[in-house]
Amino acid sequence: MEPEKERTGRQPKKGRKRRRAPNKVVGAAEAMRADWDLKERQPEAKKARLSTILFAENYEVTHGQLCELLKYAVLGKSSIPKPSWCQLFHQNHLNNVVVFVLQGMSQLHFYRFYLEFGFLRKAFRHKFLLPPPSSTFLADIIGLQKKQTTGNLPKTMEGSLPSASSKANINLQNDPIIQKYGCKKVGLTRCILTKEEMKTFHFPLQGFPDCENFVPTKCNGSITDNSPLFGLDCEMCLTSKGRELTRISLVAEGGCCVMDELVKPDNKILDYLTSFSGITKKILNPVTTKLKDVQRQLKALLPPDAVLVGHSLDLDLRALKMIHPYVIDTSLLYVREQGRRFKLKFLAKAILGKDIQCPGRLGHDATEDARTTLELARYFLKYGPKKIAELNLEGLASHPEVQAAGQEPKNAAEIVQHPNTSVLECLDSMGQKLLFLARETDAGELSSSRNCQTIKCLSNKEVLEHARVEIPLFPFSIVQFSFEPFSPIFTEEMNKRMRMKWTEMSTVYAGPFSKNCNLRALKRLFKNFGPIRSMSLVLETHQVQRPVTELTLDCDILVNELERDSENRGTIYLSGVSETFKEHLLQQSNLFLGLEAVILPKDLKSGKQKKYCFLKFKSFGSAQRALNILTGKDWKLKGRHALTPRHLHAWLRGLPPESKRPPGIRVIPPPSEQQALQTLKVDHPKIAAWRWGRKIGKLYHSLCPGTLCLILLPGTKSTHGSLSGLGLMGIKDEEESTTRSLRS
């Protein structure tokens, strides 16, 4: 190895001599951990959340409006206008965005197999209609223009980066590095992550449930500004159990590589990830070293006060299944706006003027990456935060190709605020990539985009396996599962059947009535319970009940599950409300604690307020108390807990008038419908809804808190007709608390 002076052209700071690695380990890191325990509890941080009420009058969300939300989720209000159709609070507390696309499914699928989609209907509070999809559905929802699919997105860095902008044009006080560290130079101990920071950024910590089998490095020495630094980098492969270690490199502060080992994973290798790791089957075949061997070796190499330096070091430590208390993470040291991170390749070029991870190589060089993180840490300690801020890294990262051409760089906000900006460009401006997982036959739309990491799979099962491993590594992921759509004939018949079913469920037979009864008075009586579409007099009926037909056999179960739908939880339906109801309600708001929204539907033609409404409360208990009051003697309203989500009303409005069949006559579907339903009992659609609803549920539970998650059933479009889609949306923390309240 070349000595540091010859490699970098910079002399180490005098008086800052750090010790090299001894051959044996001494003690454990109990001292700092004891101090951490004293700071275990901190005030709860703000959490990202969605508004309870997403829409005013419009129940359908266009693909362009979806794109608005996704761009805002990536960049926040400082760079992107807020979405016009919903509210996302505390966007800067979002950790990830994950979009699941169930290609081939529509709203018809969801309500035809409503009971089978158990997790989805109970977990996601926010549901909305989607228009039938175009042939470029994915490109539409991320705002991808046709010219960008041919690879014309901003290119990655090539050649040298330009010099920084003049100091006069930079407001140093607003730079996140200055805000965190101040302007003066800092010592090594100031750069080490605190326990709270390690907890926030998912570093393995002793005593945490997901680190039970992790091995501590046993470093317990006192940390000083002269403690030795070690650069660490690991490469991984994909196995049947997730990502596992295949190579570890440890570089001492003088630049000497003290450990460089290939490691044979314990489980079956599914993908060597050669393009990243450089590891192939041929390279790994003769290797006998196991994870426990490198754990033992690393413990022996590190001195008691060793400080590990790496880039996204939490991933390396998790691959090693080791716990170390003293770390400097260069992706966090060179802090960026809104919690985003610079790539190691960019920092190497912008700070050190060196090219790493070059395209011509087979994968990354772990030793080179470890050495680079060490150099970045030393540069920060030598020159201080002010020097880093003056480099204007955010400006360099925003549009490097513009500056490389010697032109005046545009402001990043101006670039992303352009109405045609795509989600990919927003991610690119933050130095990040989009992950796209899909079956090989369906990966065409995004796979050619430069800022998209596409993984093509052979089956939905393979998509699911990759999703479990890859989603935590990307800030924005699109995971597409593909299903065979209903045939055109079956779609048409199933659509009619579902509409007929909802009509039958909304029909009540009551009696007996005399031949001379007043129909107008009767209609007024029933109007107390809600709007009436039509009424027919049947003299033979001797009870009050819904019609008993083949379509309504599961009616009681369905009504019960609709009431438990998370969108209806905490919502009550009231009938008989007057035009002054809202004013009266607000005057006595002290009686209705937890009231979040009053939904007063209007007649689409006349614009007049209808005589029923929905009240949305924070909890089921608040809704129940309000229902008792409003149906009591003072208010005298009719009401119950809501059954139908509001997006469903738009669909139900298109139902045909109920049939004029005499009561008790069995509904016989057409022969082709019977045939299709018989096939359905053994074929995939119903089973797929149940199975994949559960699988997505398990995957959802593995996401980190603060993840914005969208489930999109895009709908279908063909020459035989179109079916509207359905969207479900929520944020992990928010939805889990809802699910817990549902169980209680």
Side-chain angles (χ1 to χ4, degrees):
M1 296 290 177
E2 291 181 307
E4 181 188 344
K5 179 179 175 182
E6 293 177 6
R7 272 188 305 107
T8 65
R10 290 191 292 271
Q11 292 280 0
K13 185 176 179 180
K14 293 181 179 179
R16 275 189 89 97
K17 295 182 179 178
R18 297 198 180 90
R19 292 175 284 105
R20 300 294 184 262
N23 291 326
K24 292 187 178 180
V25 67
V26 183
E30 300 300 329
M32 182 168 275
R33 295 193 187 101
D35 180 59
W36 282 346
D37 291 338
L38 297 176
K39 305 174 183 177
E40 187 67 39
R41 294 197 173 273
Q42 296 290 338
E44 190 175 350
K46 291 180 179 178
K47 295 179 180 179
R49 64 182 179 88
L50 288 161
S51 61
T52 302
I53 302 303
L54 298 182
F55 323 95
E57 295 295 332
N58 182 29
Y59 303 106
E60 184 177 86
V61 176
T62 67
H63 302 152
Q65 288 174 321
L66 259 185
C67 185
E68 285 178 11
L69 172 65
L70 295 177
K71 289 193 291 186
Y72 184 76
V74 171
L75 289 176
K77 62 184 178 182
S78 61
S79 302
I80 287 289
K82 291 183 178 180
S84 59
W85 59 282
C86 69
Q87 288 180 297
L88 173 58
F89 299 100
H90 308 307
Q91 173 275 340
N92 57 324
H93 291 278
L94 276 182
N95 287 324
N96 300 84
V97 179
V98 180
V99 181
F100 294 104
V101 180
L102 309 186
Q103 191 67 35
M105 290 195 178
S106 64
Q107 183 172 211
L108 176 62
H109 285 75
F110 186 78
Y111 283 107
R112 170 63 183 87
F113 305 119
Y114 183 81
L115 297 178
E116 283 71 32
F117 280 116
F119 168 76
L120 299 186
R121 60 184 163 82
K122 291 177 183 177
F124 291 92
R125 298 177 61 195
H126 309 293
K127 303 180 182 73
F128 48 88
L129 286 173
L130 288 171
S134 67
S135 59
T136 55
F137 172 74
L138 286 178
D140 292 342
I141 66 170
I142 66 168
L144 193 63
Q145 304 298 310
K146 286 185 179 180
K147 63 179 182 179
Q148 291 175 332
T149 60
T150 60
N152 289 330
L153 285 174
K155 295 182 179 180
T156 54
M157 293 172 294
E158 295 179 8
S160 60
L161 282 175
S163 58
S165 304
S166 64
K167 297 179 185 179
N169 293 334
I170 307 170
N171 186 349
L172 295 184
Q173 296 306 313
N174 292 333
D175 191 287
I177 290 180
I178 298 297
Q179 291 178 350
K180 181 173 181 178
Y181 297 104
C183 290
K184 296 182 179 179
K185 293 182 181 181
V186 296
L188 183 150
T189 53
R190 177 69 176 85
C191 300
I192 294 174
L193 294 180
T194 65
K195 184 182 180 182
E196 284 305 314
E197 287 174 322
M198 293 177 74
K199 184 177 178 181
T200 300
F201 295 108
H202 311 295
F203 277 75
L205 293 171
Q206 202 152 25
F208 278 59
D210 61 340
C211 304
E212 290 176 353
N213 299 320
F214 282 43
V215 177
T217 56
K218 300 295 183 184
C219 293
N220 65 345
S222 298
I223 296 296
T224 69
D225 287 344
N226 293 322
S227 293
L229 300 176
F230 293 83
L232 175 69
D233 188 69
C234 295
E235 301 297 343
M236 284 80 86
C237 70
L238 185 65
T239 73
S240 57
K241 296 295 184 180
R243 285 183 178 260
E244 289 190 52
L245 185 71
T246 53
R247 182 184 176 186
I248 174 175
S249 290
L250 187 71
V251 177
E253 195 167 353
C256 178
C257 182
V258 295
M259 183 178 179
D260 189 15
E261 291 283 348
L262 292 171
V263 184
K264 178 70 70 73
D266 293 324
N267 297 289
K268 181 182 177 182
I269 297 175
L270 303 177
D271 189 345
Y272 286 84
L273 304 176
T274 306
S275 59
F276 297 103
S277 66
I279 305 296
T280 63
K281 183 177 181 179
K282 184 178 179 180
I283 292 173
L284 212 56
N285 262 345
V287 175
T288 57
T289 303
K290 290 288 190 176
L291 178 63
K292 61 183 180 181
D293 300 319
V294 297
Q295 288 174 337
R296 187 165 51 245
Q297 190 177 348
L298 190 61
K299 288 170 64 176
L301 282 170
L302 294 177
D305 59 342
V307 177
L308 292 180
V309 182
H311 198 82
S312 297
L313 193 56
D314 55 313
L315 300 178
D316 298 316
L317 289 172
R318 287 191 177 276
L320 283 165
K321 293 190 176 180
M322 297 190 77
I323 297 171
H324 187 78
Y326 318 130
V327 297
I328 295 176
D329 193 322
T330 50
S331 72
L332 301 171
L333 182 67
Y334 289 84
V335 62
R336 197 175 183 186
E337 293 176 352
Q338 299 179 344
R340 310 298 182 179
R341 304 191 191 190
F342 293 111
K343 295 179 181 178
L344 181 61
K345 179 182 176 75
F346 169 79
L347 290 176
K349 189 69 175 176
I351 303 294
L352 308 174
K354 60 186 284 187
D355 293 305
I356 64 169
Q357 302 173 359
C358 298
R361 294 182 187 169
L362 183 65
H364 298 175
D365 184 334
T367 303
E368 179 187 63
D369 289 356
R371 189 175 288 120
T372 300
T373 60
L374 266 181
E375 291 181 39
L376 287 169
R378 286 200 302 268
Y379 186 95
F380 192 99
L381 292 169
K382 180 177 181 179
Y383 292 102
K386 185 178 179 182
K387 176 70 174 178
I388 308 299
E390 289 172 351
L391 293 174
N392 190 16
L393 295 176
E394 197 67 46
L396 295 179
S398 296
H399 236 47
E401 79 283 3
V402 174
Q403 292 189 339
Q407 301 172 19
E408 187 68 20
K410 292 183 179 179
N411 181 280
E414 292 177 6
I415 295 169
V416 296
Q417 281 182 355
H418 192 276
N420 292 328
T421 300
S422 70
V423 172
L424 284 173
E425 288 174 310
C426 293
L427 288 166
D428 186 65
S429 73
M430 309 301 286
Q432 298 175 335
K433 276 192 172 185
L434 180 148
L435 170 68
F436 179 46
L437 286 164
R439 293 203 312 200
E440 193 167 0
T441 53
D442 304 312
E445 286 184 77
L446 298 181
S447 58
S448 57
S449 300
R450 298 177 70 90
N451 200 41
C452 177
Q453 177 68 43
T454 302
I455 299 179
K456 300 177 183 180
C457 305
L458 297 176
S459 64
N460 284 337
K461 183 179 179 181
E462 193 176 333
V463 170
L464 183 70
E465 290 172 353
H466 279 286
R468 289 176 180 143
V469 177
E470 299 292 338
I471 283 177
L473 308 179
F474 288 81
F476 195 111
S477 305
I478 295 178
V479 181
Q480 179 171 290
F481 301 103
S482 298
F483 302 95
E484 192 69 30
F486 291 154
S487 68
I489 295 176
F490 183 47
T491 296
E492 183 180 355
E493 292 173 352
M494 188 60 71
N495 205 13
K496 290 179 182 177
R497 183 182 176 86
M498 287 304 298
R499 289 170 180 266
M500 192 182 296
K501 178 170 185 170
W502 285 101
T503 301
E504 295 289 346
M505 286 178 59
S506 303
T507 301
V508 173
Y509 293 144
F513 297 109
S514 68
K515 295 181 180 180
N516 300 323
C517 69
N518 188 326
L519 285 178
R520 185 172 296 178
L522 200 58
K523 194 169 186 178
R524 274 200 307 270
L525 173 66
F526 283 112
K527 265 191 171 181
N528 290 328
F529 299 94
I532 298 173
R533 292 191 62 144
S534 64
M535 192 171 73
S536 301
L537 191 61
V538 182
L539 301 178
E540 291 86 353
T541 302
H542 292 274
Q543 57 187 328
V544 177
Q545 66 175 62
R546 286 189 176 89
V548 179
T549 71
E550 179 187 352
L551 296 174
T552 59
L553 290 177
D554 63 351
C555 181
D556 290 341
I557 297 173
L558 187 56
V559 167
N560 182 52
E561 292 302 322
L562 280 167
E563 190 172 17
R564 297 178 62 197
D565 190 298
S566 62
E567 192 171 359
N568 294 326
R569 190 74 174 177
T571 302
I572 61 174
Y573 165 82
L574 296 171
S575 178
V577 300
S578 64
E579 292 183 0
T580 60
F581 170 75
K582 184 177 179 181
E583 183 181 349
H584 191 193
L585 185 76
L586 295 177
Q587 286 174 352
Q588 301 190 45
S589 58
N590 60 312
L591 296 176
F592 306 104
L593 300 178
L595 178 63
E596 288 187 318
V598 181
I599 305 164
L600 298 164
K602 292 182 179 179
D603 187 275
L604 291 179
K605 294 181 179 178
S606 66
K608 291 184 179 180
Q609 177 185 316
K610 293 188 176 182
K611 294 185 178 181
Y612 67 91
C613 74
F614 296 89
L615 302 185
K616 185 78 175 175
F617 291 85
K618 288 183 178 179
S619 67
F620 179 82
S622 297
Q624 182 63 58
R625 286 190 292 272
L627 186 61
N628 293 339
I629 294 172
L630 292 166
T631 55
K633 61 180 181 179
D634 293 333
W635 292 74
K636 298 180 180 178
L637 296 173
K638 303 291 184 183
R640 61 155 298 143
H641 291 284
L643 288 179
T644 51
R646 290 191 302 132
H647 71 270
L648 189 57
H649 299 168
W651 194 37
L652 296 180
R653 273 201 301 267
L655 293 177
E658 79 269 21
S659 59
K660 305 295 183 181
R661 297 184 307 275
I665 300 248
R666 182 172 175 268
V667 178
I668 301 178
S672 56
E673 168 81 12
Q674 282 187 322
Q675 253 181 353
L677 289 174
Q678 186 64 34
T679 305
L680 193 63
K681 292 176 183 176
V682 295
D683 205 359
H684 66 87
K686 184 173 184 176
I687 298 170
W690 176 81
R691 180 187 295 139
W692 286 97
R694 289 169 61 90
K695 288 181 184 294
I696 291 172
K698 289 180 180 178
L699 186 55
Y700 174 83
H701 285 308
S702 72
L703 301 178
C704 70
T707 296
L708 172 63
C709 184
L710 286 86
I711 312 285
L712 302 181
L713 288 69
T716 58
K717 194 171 187 178
S718 69
T719 54
H720 301 278
S722 302
L723 289 177
S724 298
L726 181 70
L728 302 90
M729 179 169 64
I731 297 174
K732 177 91 184 300
D733 265 346
E734 178 186 52
E735 301 311 317
E736 285 196 333
S737 62
T738 303
T739 316
R740 282 194 294 270
S741 70
L742 283 170
R743 295 191 191 106
S744 63

